[in-house]
Amino acid sequence: MKKNHLVRTLIIGALCIGTMATSCNKLGSSTSKEGAVARVNDVYLDKYEVLDLVPSNADKEDSLAIVNRFIDKWATKNLLIEAAELNLSKDKKEEIEKLVAQFKTDLLIKDYLEKLVQKNIDTIINEKDLKVYYDKYKNNFLVEDMLVKMSYANVLKDNSNYGTIRRYFSSNRSEDHNKLESMSLHMKTYALNDSIWVDVKQIYDKLPFLNSSNKDNYLKNNSFFEVEEENSTYFVKVNKVLSRGSVIPFEYLKTSLKMMVINDRKMELLKQYEEDILKDAKKNKRYEVF
């Protein structure tokens, strides 16, 4: 109850407290008793560590609960550290110290190399760069399910342009297909560009009659079909289909290829930096093997 009263006083008077310099360890603790709200042995939790914990709109009861939980967690952590220091073997603690040192080393190197790469990497990628990369690795880019070039429209049966839309959709003439664009307002849903590759999984929610089990029955090269519902009809025209295991087309991969090329350049730069720093150290007698 004494601690609760202290914490409540702390919260209520938070706006009145001035600044004070404290020496803190990694757990946000102080070695000074002055201004402390809790203690674990000779380690103190300074009141300034808990002032910003409570949301401005929280009531006193919630504020008190939030601060108490924080203090308990702080105490638990310090007590566990103390217990670990006392009970872990010297070898185990040395092993942990080595892991910490290695982690710090890895972070320093990673951050340094990333800054070098960001400063020096060539991010300009033209079509030729992408094509060269694609041709080199295209046998690794395989379709997982199915890619499709297709167009569709869902049209109400009582629409006055129903017959016209149906005729244009079933036609093989490019001018008829182009006319569909001007009639899009007469369609419930539609996608009229059949020159873009689309992952079949993106189509399932657009065409409710289609699913992973029956897609092969519907989606075939150079085909047109209709699916009637109670009040509307789906007109679907399939331009081209690539089944599982086919090589993914270049145009479908272009965005991803840019990232791959950048990553490749990054790896090459990192490799070059490592070779250069070693070569330079040998040249300047800063590194030698006995």
Side-chain angles (χ1 to χ4, degrees):
M1 194 68 177
K2 185 177 179 181
K3 185 177 79 170
N4 289 353
H5 176 72
L6 174 61
V7 174
R8 185 182 291 108
T9 302
L10 167 67
I11 295 169
I12 295 173
L15 296 176
C16 305
I17 299 175
T19 58
M20 179 180 71
T22 60
S23 59
C24 299
N25 64 18
K26 293 180 181 179
L27 295 179
S29 306
S30 170
T31 56
S32 172
K33 185 176 181 180
E34 184 180 356
V37 294
R39 176 184 67 83
V40 170
N41 296 320
D42 58 350
V43 179
Y44 297 88
L45 176 64
D46 192 274
K47 58 188 173 185
Y48 290 98
E49 298 295 329
V50 297
L51 285 180
D52 296 328
L53 292 174
V54 182
S56 58
N57 60 346
D59 58 30
K60 289 183 179 180
E61 186 177 343
D62 289 340
S63 300
L64 184 61
I66 291 170
V67 175
N68 280 341
R69 281 197 299 270
F70 177 84
I71 292 174
D72 285 343
K73 286 183 179 179
W74 171 87
T76 301
K77 187 180 290 186
N78 277 279
L79 290 166
L80 285 172
I81 288 175
E82 181 185 49
E85 290 283 358
L86 290 172
N87 292 285
L88 287 178
S89 67
K90 180 182 177 182
D91 289 344
K92 190 62 179 177
K93 285 189 282 188
E94 287 178 353
E95 179 186 343
I96 292 171
E97 289 295 333
K98 288 178 182 178
L99 288 173
V100 171
Q102 184 61 53
F103 184 60
K104 178 182 177 181
T105 299
D106 292 342
L107 283 177
L108 286 170
I109 293 173
K110 179 176 178 292
D111 189 66
Y112 172 66
L113 289 177
E114 283 182 353
K115 283 181 170 56
L116 281 177
V117 168
Q118 289 171 6
K119 183 179 179 181
N120 296 289
I121 193 168
D122 179 10
T123 57
I124 298 175
I125 303 172
N126 56 42
E127 190 88 358
K128 182 181 177 182
D129 295 328
L130 296 179
K131 199 69 173 65
V132 168
Y133 189 91
Y134 174 79
D135 289 340
K136 184 177 180 180
Y137 296 107
K138 66 180 179 181
N139 290 330
N140 296 327
F141 306 138
L142 304 179
V143 177
E144 291 185 3
D145 190 349
M146 179 184 283
L147 294 180
V148 188
K149 285 183 177 181
M150 61 179 293
S151 57
Y152 70 86
N154 186 17
V155 184
L156 291 171
K157 291 180 180 179
D158 60 4
N159 188 294
S160 59
N161 291 283
Y162 181 93
T164 304
I165 294 173
R166 182 182 186 280
R167 186 170 69 255
Y168 286 161
F169 244 100
S170 60
S171 172
N172 289 321
R173 300 182 355 154
S174 58
E175 54 266 37
D176 288 341
H177 190 265
N178 292 335
K179 291 174 184 177
L180 287 171
E181 290 285 352
S182 63
M183 305 188 72
S184 60
L185 291 177
H186 298 277
M187 307 171 190
K188 287 179 64 180
T189 59
Y190 64 92
L192 303 178
N193 189 347
D194 65 353
S195 63
I196 299 175
W197 288 108
V198 179
D199 191 311
V200 70
K201 291 190 285 293
Q202 298 177 345
I203 302 171
Y204 294 150
D205 61 337
K206 309 294 184 184
L207 305 178
F209 56 86
L210 195 69
N211 56 58
S212 58
S213 300
N214 64 17
K215 65 179 187 295
D216 291 326
N217 298 329
Y218 285 103
L219 304 178
K220 299 176 182 179
N221 288 325
N222 300 313
S223 62
F224 168 80
F225 62 88
E226 303 174 18
V227 176
E228 291 194 16
E229 294 192 324
E230 184 177 354
N231 299 314
S232 65
T233 301
Y234 282 92
F235 302 121
V236 183
K237 193 167 189 178
V238 182
N239 182 357
K240 196 168 184 181
V241 176
L242 285 178
S243 57
R244 178 183 175 87
S246 303
V247 174
I248 300 175
F250 171 74
E251 55 267 32
Y252 183 80
L253 275 177
K254 279 182 75 171
T255 301
S256 299
L257 286 171
K258 290 180 181 179
M259 299 298 294
M260 294 178 196
V261 171
I262 288 288
N263 191 62
D264 244 31
R265 290 179 180 178
K266 184 185 293 186
M267 293 301 104
E268 284 297 319
L269 272 176
L270 291 175
K271 182 180 177 182
Q272 189 62 51
Y273 290 147
E274 290 176 355
E275 292 176 355
D276 288 347
I277 199 170
L278 198 63
K279 189 183 298 182
D280 183 68
K282 287 180 178 179
K283 181 180 177 181
N284 293 292
K285 309 300 182 182
R286 294 168 53 229
Y287 166 61
E288 57 182 326
V289 179
F290 302 109

